Amino acid sequence: MDARPEPGDDATTQRFQQKRERILDAATRLINRHGVKGMTFVDVAELVELNTTSVTYYFKRKELLAAAVLDRTIDRLEALIRDAAAQPTPRARMARYVEAHLELHARIELNQARPITVLSDIRALGEPFRSELTARYVSALRKVRDFFDPPRSDRDKILRTIRAHILVQNMFWLPGWLALYSVSDYPRISRRMIEVLEHGIAPDGARWTPQLLSVTPQAQTPESEGMPENFARAATCLINEKGYRGASVEQIASELNVTKGSFYHHLEAKDELVLECFRRSHERIWLIQCAAIEAGGSQLDQLAAAIGTLLDVQLCSEFPLLRTTALQVLPSEWRTDMLERSTRLARRFAGMMIDGISEGTVRTIDPLIASQIVMGALNSAYDLRGWIAPLPQGTAIDLYGSTVAHGLFADS
């Protein structure tokens, strides 16, 4: 996946390796800002103060460079997993995994460690890179699943997969909200995250019985009126499944049985489509939160209703929410706006938790951090559709939701 000099070549010197690492660092930062699609040799060369020809000496093609960046990040992810796996108990392994991620992010922020990139852009690569890196990522997820006690049944195996998934995805979601805090806060964030992941948001003995809500389309806000709903549904599903690159305009038009001309009648560019899908997703989360509050009951009841309904959307409906992994393809100013909208939705969950702490129906936790964990768990639930397919709809929602409510170690 990378340029390796022949044995004996003077390029094997330490200077070669240092320059190569600098190129990988620059590409990592660009992919984090613009995605694989937006990373160019010209920008990489500018960051490392080389000409473009010099960059191509190390990596002949852009895709080779992108694959090497992602490969290096998986190497570091595997190192974090090995570190955590050395702990003696499931709880200690989970705690060390969280601590190690926060420590790494602190070192990166202080320029004491090389940057890492988001792994969602694996889907933006062509073959064989996509398959090779996906296999490595899946293997890493299985190692995290081994943090937990061995499963006692097929249902228990699915539950263990859900818990490993929630843990891993919340570490990937950290860059989406860590910027709200200073590096000196990271140790406290680590402790509070471990607390929520271990025990959940519900007090010991509390019942988690979500009532699924019905949200009518008429309640949609005017901002969502620019694009037909079937366009948003088809695009969201294709982007979630295949990534930005895999979901071409041709495929979206084919899915809708319309011409490309009809597509461009509603939207000027594909990036605009992604933005519109995010707006729809955020509106739907907001509407479900509002419906949960209007339904009444305790704050825990309201949280259960909102989370259960959103899990139903992600795991079972024909129109899921758009995965945050698609953020990487948006221009930076749009991406910032979408992250701010997500933060506002998380803060609404935090407000419900604060009220629940006051009335005694929610565990005493850091609500701002807990709300981000909930957002991360909800958004990434879509990825487990295949795993939960053998289960009845209600069971799938209960298993996933109970992990949010009672933590990663509650009895199944």
Side-chain angles (χ1 to χ4, degrees):
M1 292 187 185
D2 55 4
R4 296 191 183 277
E6 293 296 324
D9 192 310
D10 60 2
T12 58
T13 61
Q14 185 177 3
R15 185 164 172 266
F16 175 94
Q17 294 300 335
Q18 289 174 343
K19 194 168 290 186
R20 180 182 180 278
E21 290 298 315
R22 285 178 55 215
I23 291 171
L24 288 172
D25 290 347
T28 297
R29 292 188 178 95
L30 289 168
I31 290 173
N32 285 344
R33 284 182 213 153
H34 310 298
V36 167
K37 170 177 170 277
M39 185 265 291
T40 68
F41 272 169
V42 172
D43 290 336
V44 171
E46 183 177 344
L47 282 179
V48 295
E49 299 179 338
L50 294 172
N51 57 45
T52 305
T53 303
S54 296
V55 175
T56 57
Y57 173 72
Y58 294 85
F59 299 94
K60 302 298 182 187
R61 292 184 290 120
K62 171 181 164 178
E63 199 156 47
L64 282 168
L65 174 55
V69 166
L70 293 161
D71 194 51
R72 187 176 71 164
T73 293
I74 294 177
D75 285 342
R76 297 172 74 184
L77 174 63
E78 289 175 338
L80 296 176
I81 293 170
R82 287 193 299 271
D83 178 29
Q87 298 299 311
T89 66
R91 291 174 191 266
R93 290 191 280 271
M94 179 277 289
R96 180 57 199 151
Y97 189 66
V98 175
E99 290 167 355
H101 273 84
L102 269 297
E103 289 167 4
L104 175 59
H105 281 288
R107 292 197 303 274
I108 292 170
E109 191 66 23
L110 295 170
N111 293 318
Q112 297 171 355
R114 297 187 181 280
I116 55 174
T117 192
V118 291
L119 293 175
S120 58
D121 261 20
I122 288 175
R123 289 181 296 181
L125 297 176
E127 296 294 357
F129 306 115
R130 182 167 64 243
S131 293
E132 291 172 358
L133 290 167
T134 298
R136 287 197 66 194
Y137 169 74
V138 171
S139 175
L141 178 62
R142 287 176 178 150
K143 291 172 185 172
V144 174
R145 192 172 64 186
D146 290 339
F147 286 0
F148 301 94
D149 289 328
R152 294 163 292 182
S153 63
D154 289 342
R155 171 193 169 106
D156 216 30
K157 184 177 180 180
I158 293 173
L159 180 60
R160 200 169 63 138
T161 299
I162 289 170
R163 290 173 173 176
H165 180 75
I166 288 174
L167 176 58
V168 168
Q169 291 298 322
N170 263 289
M171 297 307 101
F172 290 159
W173 179 231
L174 281 172
W177 58 273
L178 264 185
L180 299 171
Y181 297 85
S182 68
V183 174
S184 61
D185 290 324
Y186 287 12
R188 187 188 68 81
I189 291 170
S190 177
R191 294 193 299 272
R192 298 289 80 84
M193 287 190 74
I194 291 167
E195 185 178 62
V196 175
L197 289 167
E198 183 171 0
H199 300 292
I201 64 175
D204 293 337
R207 294 198 53 159
W208 182 260
T209 53
Q211 301 298 311
L212 299 192
L213 305 165
S214 177
V215 179
T216 59
Q218 288 78 9
Q220 287 181 343
T221 64
E223 191 174 32
S224 67
E225 294 175 357
M227 177 175 62
E229 184 174 294
N230 60 334
F231 274 56
R233 181 188 296 112
T236 296
C237 291
L238 281 170
I239 293 170
N240 281 355
E241 288 290 336
K242 300 183 178 183
Y244 180 86
R245 175 173 172 167
S248 65
V249 172
E250 288 83 357
Q251 284 180 306
I252 296 168
S254 174
E255 192 84 9
L256 295 165
N257 198 26
V258 300
T259 63
K260 286 177 64 177
S262 177
F263 174 92
Y264 286 118
H265 173 73
H266 294 282
L267 296 157
E268 293 182 0
K270 190 173 165 186
D271 285 353
E272 188 181 338
L273 171 64
V274 176
L275 182 67
E276 207 48 49
C277 289
F278 268 121
R279 286 174 175 160
R280 292 292 181 105
S281 293
H282 290 156
E283 285 166 8
R284 292 162 69 206
I285 296 172
W286 176 75
L287 289 170
I288 288 170
Q289 288 175 328
C290 290
I293 293 169
E294 289 171 5
S298 72
Q299 292 297 319
L300 186 63
D301 290 337
Q302 294 173 32
L303 283 163
I307 291 169
T309 303
L310 287 165
L311 285 174
D312 181 48
V313 169
Q314 289 295 74
L315 294 172
C316 309
S317 77
E318 295 181 353
F319 191 2
L321 307 174
L322 185 62
R323 289 283 278 114
T324 53
T325 52
L327 277 170
Q328 290 305 110
V329 306
L330 291 176
S332 58
E333 64 275 12
W334 290 359
R335 186 162 66 245
T336 299
D337 182 46
M338 292 302 104
L339 284 171
E340 288 175 353
R341 288 173 182 241
S342 177
T343 298
R344 286 198 293 272
L345 293 168
R347 286 183 183 277
R348 171 165 280 194
F349 275 132
M352 296 165 75
M353 291 176 193
I354 291 169
D355 291 343
I357 293 168
S358 296
E359 73 179 14
T361 58
V362 172
R363 182 183 292 277
T364 303
I365 50 177
D366 185 316
L368 294 175
I369 291 173
S371 65
Q372 292 290 354
I373 291 174
V374 168
M375 289 291 286
L378 289 172
N379 188 265
S380 62
Y382 178 88
D383 294 344
L384 288 189
R385 282 191 169 211
W387 276 93
I388 58 88
L391 298 173
Q393 177 180 348
T395 301
I397 294 170
D398 286 345
L399 287 179
Y400 204 104
S402 69
T403 300
V404 175
H406 300 297
L408 300 177
F409 303 99
D411 192 289
S412 62

